Amino acid sequence: MALTATPGTLIVASAYPDPPFDVLEEGSASGFDIELMRAICSQLRLTLRPVRYSGDDFNGIFDGLATSSYDAVISGTTITPERSAVALFSQPYLEFNQGVAVNCRLTPNVASVGDLRGLTAGSQSGNTSDLVAKRLLAEGAIAGIKYYPYHGIATALADLEAGRIGLVIKLFPVISWLVKDRPQLAVGLEVPTHEQLGIAFAKQNHPLCEAVNRALATLHDNGEFARLQARWFPRHATS
């Protein structure tokens, strides 16, 4: 079978905003995942065409693989059993924990899960952060969960600034990026989830998955992966 739905072009879906994986710089797509896919496309002699997923629930992004609306999904995507049931994943390429952002003026001493008691967590629909939020709620570590559509992360952060919620949980490098220009907010702690990230493909598209895995191996061998990693994740990434 053909590697891609459109010969010579790799159509990749990302869910913005998801920095530093996917960012828009002066109207153009960039970020670690986008630049990684550019490097992979160079190896495969394909032209990259990024497209934007704008659904409310992140897990809906995988539907477009089954309908051949795009060839791959790469948006800081954690590999989970549920997602692996509907999509084929590349070899893991990065690993991260979840991060917890708090209002450092209202709750200045948050340094552990025990310091979250009585607070309401903000969580995006379809994110693996929801698993962490539900576990904390079940343990009595937080008071409740307020859900936001995937594209509503700015609203969640505004609610955190205003004190309408007490924390926001999201993959560590993403939440760190999102609060860096919000002086009232800070990432108070990491929750060790050790999530492995991968590139998703249609369940039956083994040829494309295998080709991308070979390209990833080449990028590791020639140092390009390390250069991208150092640029976008200077302190926190592990390959």
Side-chain angles (χ1 to χ4, degrees):
M1 64 177 290
L3 290 181
T4 60
T6 301
T9 300
L10 184 69
I11 305 173
V12 177
S14 296
Y16 299 89
D18 197 38
F21 295 101
D22 310 296
V23 300
L24 292 174
E25 293 183 339
E26 299 180 353
S28 297
S30 187
F32 177 86
D33 280 356
I34 297 297
E35 298 309 317
L36 177 62
M37 294 312 294
R38 291 193 201 283
I40 288 172
C41 283
S42 179
Q43 292 288 325
L44 301 182
R45 299 183 180 180
L46 295 171
T47 299
L48 177 66
R49 181 154 74 87
V51 297
R52 184 172 189 168
Y53 170 75
S54 56
D56 289 345
D57 187 312
F58 179 78
N59 284 322
I61 198 171
F62 303 106
D63 296 343
L65 295 172
T67 60
S68 298
S69 298
Y70 31 82
D71 303 299
V73 167
I74 185 165
S75 197
T77 304
T78 299
I79 303 169
T80 69
E82 294 78 13
R83 292 171 178 176
S84 295
V86 298
L88 182 66
F89 280 90
S90 70
Q91 290 295 315
Y93 64 95
L94 287 174
E95 180 180 301
F96 289 107
N97 296 323
Q98 291 284 328
V100 178
V102 296
N103 187 318
C104 51
R105 295 180 185 174
L106 298 178
T107 51
N109 300 314
V110 171
S112 70
V113 168
D115 299 323
L116 304 176
R117 192 172 301 275
L119 301 179
T120 295
S123 181
Q124 288 172 291
S125 297
N127 258 22
T128 51
S129 56
D130 186 35
L131 300 175
V132 175
K134 286 178 176 176
R135 176 168 59 82
L136 294 177
L137 182 62
E139 294 171 350
I142 60 175
I145 304 171
K146 181 177 181 179
Y147 287 98
Y148 296 83
Y150 190 83
H151 52 76
I153 186 63
T155 302
L157 294 173
D159 283 353
L160 183 58
E161 287 177 320
R164 290 186 285 268
I165 58 175
L167 61 139
V168 171
I169 307 173
K170 195 162 173 63
L171 204 66
F172 184 81
V174 181
I175 195 64
S176 298
W177 184 291
L178 290 172
V179 304
K180 64 185 176 68
D181 295 322
R182 294 175 180 260
Q184 193 168 329
L185 306 182
V187 179
L189 66 141
E190 282 188 68
V191 179
T193 53
H194 306 289
E195 297 177 42
Q196 294 188 319
L197 310 188
I199 306 164
F201 310 94
K203 194 71 174 173
Q204 74 281 4
N205 200 348
H206 292 275
L208 181 57
C209 183
E210 291 166 3
V212 168
N213 280 336
R214 291 193 295 270
L216 279 170
T218 298
L219 295 174
H220 276 281
D221 290 344
N222 67 17
E224 181 61 20
F225 189 95
R227 286 189 288 272
L228 288 172
Q229 190 175 12
R231 176 187 174 190
W232 293 101
F233 307 106
R235 291 186 299 165
H236 304 294
T238 57
S239 59

